[in-house]
Amino acid sequence: MNWLVVVAGGVIGAPLRYLTDRTVQSRHDSLFPWGTFVVNVTGCLVLGTLAGATAVGPDLRLFLGTGLCGALTTYSTFSYETLRLTETGAGLYAALNAVASVVLGLGAASAGLAIGEWAWS
């Protein structure tokens, strides 16, 4: 029955990703894929917090980590948007997207780990 917990998280994460992406992107008149960037960094923070929270049970880990974060974050869209930026001559935006996504994603995961260890351990 673990798969049902994952599905439940995905049912929330997928529309949350879509709505967040559309909302954030509509507020920026830029080639930079702000919507995808925001959902990915946010997902890193949530997953880092979950990893640091040792008191959290396995069902909540499956729901939030695999289900919600798995559906919320998107490596494929990040890759596609970065490639499209390169193909359209926006190489600086592509490089900025790649570097900032990795650096801020790792930073958010590290911050989340510290938050999780502090708050739930």
Side-chain angles (χ1 to χ4, degrees), residues 7-84:
V7 168
V11 163
I12 295 169
L16 185 60
R17 175 196 142 12
Y18 174 77
L19 294 171
T20 302
D21 178 60
R22 295 295 89 207
T23 300
V24 170
Q25 200 60 43
S26 71
R27 288 177 165 69
H28 293 88
D29 187 25
S30 169
L31 292 175
F32 191 82
W34 285 107
T36 302
F37 180 78
V38 167
V39 296
N40 285 342
V41 173
T42 301
C44 290
L45 178 68
V46 171
L47 198 54
T49 303
L50 189 60
T54 57
V56 172
D59 286 342
L60 189 56
R61 286 184 186 281
L62 284 174
F63 176 78
L64 290 175
T66 306
L68 187 125
C69 286
L72 176 67
T73 60
T74 172
Y75 188 75
S76 57
T77 302
F78 156 75
S79 299
Y80 172 76
E81 289 173 344
T82 304
L83 178 62
R84 292 294 301 150

